[in-house]
Amino acid sequence: MKKIESVKEFGGYLNRYRHSSTSCQCEMTFSVYLPPQAQQRAVPAVYWLSGLTCTDDNFRTKAGAQRYAAELGLALIIPDTSPRGADVPDEPERYDLGQGAGFYVNATREPWSGHYQMYDYITRELPQLVEANLPLLAGVKSISGHSMGGHGALICALKNPGAYRSVSAFAPICHPVRCGWGETCFSAYLGDDRSDWQAWDATQLIEAGATASALLVDQGTVDEFLAEQLYPQDLDAACAAHGIPLILRMQEGYDHSYHFIASFLGEHLAWHARALGAGV
Amino acid sequence: MKKIESVKEFGGYLNRYRHSSTSCQCEMTFSVYLPPQAQQRAVPAVYWLSGLTCTDDNFRTKAGAQRYAAELGLALIIPDTSPRGADVPDEPERYDLGQGAGFYVNATREPWSGHYQMYDYITRELPQLVEANLPLLAGVKSISGHSMGGHGALICALKNPGAYRSVSAFAPICHPVRCGWGETCFSAYLGDDRSDWQAWDATQLIEAGATASALLVDQGTVDEFLAEQLYPQDLDAACAAHGIPLILRMQEGYDHSYHFIASFLGEHLAWHARALGAGV
């Protein structure tokens, strides 16, 4: 991996890297915030998965996360949302399919399957890469995300018991097989057999027996996508039925934007810091 | 003024307004963050002046300011950086002249003078407008800004003794008559007689006797514009010669970006909150 940018922020460094991804078969870009503590010792990491249309830039620019990470001694690992490049299949007229919309699954259908292996990238390749090259505590990681990335965080944790010390999400797509965004991407990436979709849907994973120590989810009540795309009530019901502690906080008057994320991100990062044993 | 957008953030509201400006003779857009405390009582305000190329969007999106403002009970008033619109003179090929580059002066030369009256807009029209329409403590205000906006904050305070309870700046253009950005805009907006420029230059205003209770300035040491455009050493020398307390902090390793601003904005807003008597 090659460092292509480095900016000092809150005493640490916000870096951007590029590397050739074996999972995605293309050049991938990601950002990492290394808190000041990382200049002295290895630190735990929180992975952040962004939503539709995002790159690694949105979260690093708009969430206000670096202040908390510097206070808590957390690294932030901020990947892109899909494979990228002229050789990578895309639907340039659509914001919700193709580049910018990898949905954190491993695609099985052409033309997507050659590059769209974001699940492997996030859960295997990227952790190995950053833990080998940066002052990170090996295997000491948590995961969070927003919207499509909230879905991604939930499935990465549910499908890998023990791999993440904690998981949280902002306005996640809780039940993608039931919503337009999920149906669009799953039918393209996974094919029309809906039984193949279950392994990539947080609500269905829990209904099928997947477990997690606890889930923290914030959801704004005036989120413009709440009614049609997100279905936190389905996740709530599945967790209740299967004994998974879900802290679902309906945040009155908040929308789907980064202003919502910024408002509660400090509490999420503090939650992850406790699970990670982080500290100054 | 018409509210065109409202987003909840940190318990308060980040609003955007549009109005017909008498100073600038065009429709102007600005943002205001009203902290949670403003739902109960009038609050003091900090005006933020942005730099070249910015609109009201940059600061509200990238600085992480709303968290501090909510904690401190401060309103943030975030104007645009120039008059705008198809009828407003511009140099569309240039980022450092015309729209996005008002330089917070009152232009005296055609074709600029009909619209480019940003000094009057910032110091008179906008405070009157927002104090008449929002839960703000009349006249209880401070000012800060970045780069061209840092210059703007300094001259607004120096030219209006008593109007601002406190003033601070990030990487301000301290001596615009000496640098390329300042020379470009001042010669266009004010004409070629350099004696007319002095009234719009912080260093020269202080040399001519302008006073301020104290100035807080942060400047990154690896700022890519430091050597050619900013000249904090000239402001420092003028303040020293004229007995103005200047807290000039050279911040090791920081650049000119919003990551630099974000890193120290909390300290600036706390400084302003003390001067404003703000509190929860």
Side-chain angles (χ1 to χ4, degrees), chain A:
Chain A
M1 61 191 239
K2 182 183 173 193
K3 179 154 65 175
I4 57 173
E5 197 182 312
S6 182
V7 182
K8 193 170 183 182
E9 186 166 12
F10 289 104
Y13 287 89
L14 180 62
N15 299 332
R16 181 170 271 144
Y17 301 93
R18 191 165 291 154
H19 72 116
S20 179
S21 167
T22 54
S23 306
C24 295
Q25 291 290 308
C26 64
E27 290 282 304
M28 291 291 279
T29 300
F30 62 93
S31 286
V32 174
Y33 179 68
L34 291 172
Q37 296 85 348
Q39 294 159 30
Q40 308 297 330
R41 56 178 168 79
V43 296
V46 175
Y47 288 68
W48 175 267
L49 306 185
S50 291
L52 289 167
T53 77
C54 290
T55 67
D56 66 311
D57 201 55
N58 304 67
F59 182 74
R60 58 180 263 160
T61 303
K62 304 204 288 189
Q66 287 85 298
R67 176 184 173 184
Y68 302 108
E71 291 171 351
L72 297 165
L74 295 173
L76 303 171
I77 315 293
I78 313 164
D80 204 344
T81 57
S82 77
R84 298 283 180 179
D87 298 337
V88 171
D90 193 17
E91 289 279 348
E93 303 297 310
R94 301 197 65 151
Y95 76 95
D96 58 350
L97 185 64
Q99 294 188 33
F103 241 85
Y104 305 105
V105 303
N106 287 338
T108 56
R109 298 301 159 119
E110 294 294 337
W112 310 102
S113 53
H115 295 278
Y116 284 73
Q117 304 293 319
M118 285 299 290
Y119 175 76
D120 279 354
Y121 178 72
I122 298 295
T123 59
R124 294 215 289 266
E125 182 177 2
L126 185 60
Q128 287 171 13
L129 182 72
V130 295
E131 290 181 7
N133 288 281
L134 297 173
L136 302 175
L137 287 170
V140 184
K141 62 186 192 293
S142 292
I143 194 163
S144 186
H146 174 232
S147 196
M148 176 182 76
H151 143 78
L154 293 173
I155 65 167
C156 287
L158 289 165
K159 291 167 74 72
N160 292 280
Y164 299 93
R165 302 283 174 97
S166 50
V167 55
S168 77
F170 292 80
I173 303 171
C174 294
H175 199 176
V177 306
R178 191 183 165 185
C179 77
W181 283 339
E183 289 178 323
T184 296
C185 284
F186 284 9
S187 61
Y189 300 151
L190 305 172
D192 290 330
D193 183 348
R194 285 178 168 250
S195 66
D196 294 332
W197 299 6
Q198 176 183 309
W200 307 102
D201 178 300
T203 297
Q204 294 206 324
L205 282 166
I206 291 168
E207 289 171 349
T211 60
S213 55
L215 309 176
L216 172 61
V217 174
D218 273 321
Q219 173 61 59
T221 62
V222 301
D223 185 323
E224 55 272 40
F225 301 110
L226 175 54
E228 301 289 332
Q229 303 285 359
L230 304 178
Y231 294 105
Q233 66 274 27
D234 293 3
L235 182 70
D236 195 22
C239 285
H242 293 268
I244 294 181
L246 168 66
I247 304 168
L248 172 60
R249 310 191 302 185
M250 299 302 292
Q251 301 288 6
E252 186 67 31
Y254 286 87
D255 68 7
H256 199 70
S257 72
Y258 265 87
H259 300 293
F260 157 63
I261 297 171
S263 299
F264 301 103
L265 186 66
E267 296 173 24
H268 283 237
L269 290 179
W271 150 281
H272 293 300
R274 284 192 296 275
L276 291 163
V280 293

Side-chain angles (χ1 to χ4, degrees), chain B residues 10-268:
Chain B
F10 288 104
Y13 288 89
L14 181 60
N15 298 332
R16 181 170 271 145
Y17 302 92
R18 192 165 291 155
H19 72 117
S20 179
S21 166
T22 53
S23 307
C24 295
Q25 291 291 307
C26 65
E27 289 283 302
M28 291 290 280
T29 300
F30 62 94
S31 287
V32 174
Y33 179 68
L34 291 172
Q37 296 86 346
Q39 293 158 32
Q40 309 299 329
R41 56 178 166 78
V43 296
V46 175
Y47 287 68
W48 175 268
L49 305 186
S50 291
L52 289 167
T53 77
C54 290
T55 66
D56 66 312
D57 202 55
N58 304 67
F59 182 73
R60 59 180 264 159
T61 303
K62 305 204 286 189
Q66 288 84 299
R67 174 183 175 187
Y68 303 108
E71 291 171 352
L72 296 166
L74 295 173
L76 303 171
I77 315 294
I78 313 165
D80 203 345
T81 56
S82 76
R84 299 281 181 181
D87 297 336
V88 171
D90 193 17
E91 288 279 348
E93 303 297 308
R94 300 197 66 150
Y95 76 95
D96 58 351
L97 184 64
Q99 294 189 33
F103 241 86
Y104 305 106
V105 303
N106 287 338
T108 56
R109 298 301 160 119
E110 293 296 336
W112 310 102
S113 53
H115 296 278
Y116 284 72
Q117 303 292 320
M118 285 298 290
Y119 175 75
D120 279 354
Y121 179 72
I122 297 295
T123 59
R124 294 216 288 267
E125 183 178 1
L126 186 61
Q128 288 171 13
L129 182 72
V130 295
E131 290 181 7
N133 288 281
L134 297 173
L136 302 175
L137 287 169
V140 184
K141 61 186 193 294
S142 293
I143 194 163
S144 185
H146 174 231
S147 195
M148 175 182 76
H151 142 78
L154 292 173
I155 64 166
C156 287
L158 290 166
K159 291 166 73 71
N160 292 279
Y164 299 94
R165 303 283 176 98
S166 49
V167 54
S168 77
F170 292 81
I173 303 171
C174 295
H175 199 175
V177 306
R178 189 182 166 185
C179 76
W181 282 340
E183 289 179 325
T184 296
C185 284
F186 284 8
S187 60
Y189 301 152
L190 305 172
D192 289 331
D193 184 347
R194 285 178 168 250
S195 66
D196 293 334
W197 298 7
Q198 175 181 311
W200 307 100
D201 178 299
T203 297
Q204 295 206 323
L205 282 166
I206 290 169
E207 289 171 349
T211 60
S213 56
L215 309 176
L216 171 61
V217 174
D218 273 321
Q219 173 61 59
T221 61
V222 301
D223 185 324
E224 56 272 41
F225 301 110
L226 175 54
E228 301 290 331
Q229 302 286 358
L230 304 178
Y231 293 105
Q233 66 275 26
D234 292 2
L235 182 69
D236 196 22
C239 285
H242 292 267
I244 294 181
L246 167 65
I247 304 168
L248 172 60
R249 309 191 303 184
M250 298 303 292
Q251 300 288 5
E252 186 66 32
Y254 286 87
D255 69 6
H256 199 70
S257 74
Y258 265 88
H259 300 293
F260 157 63
I261 298 171
S263 299
F264 301 102
L265 186 66
E267 296 173 23
H268 283 237

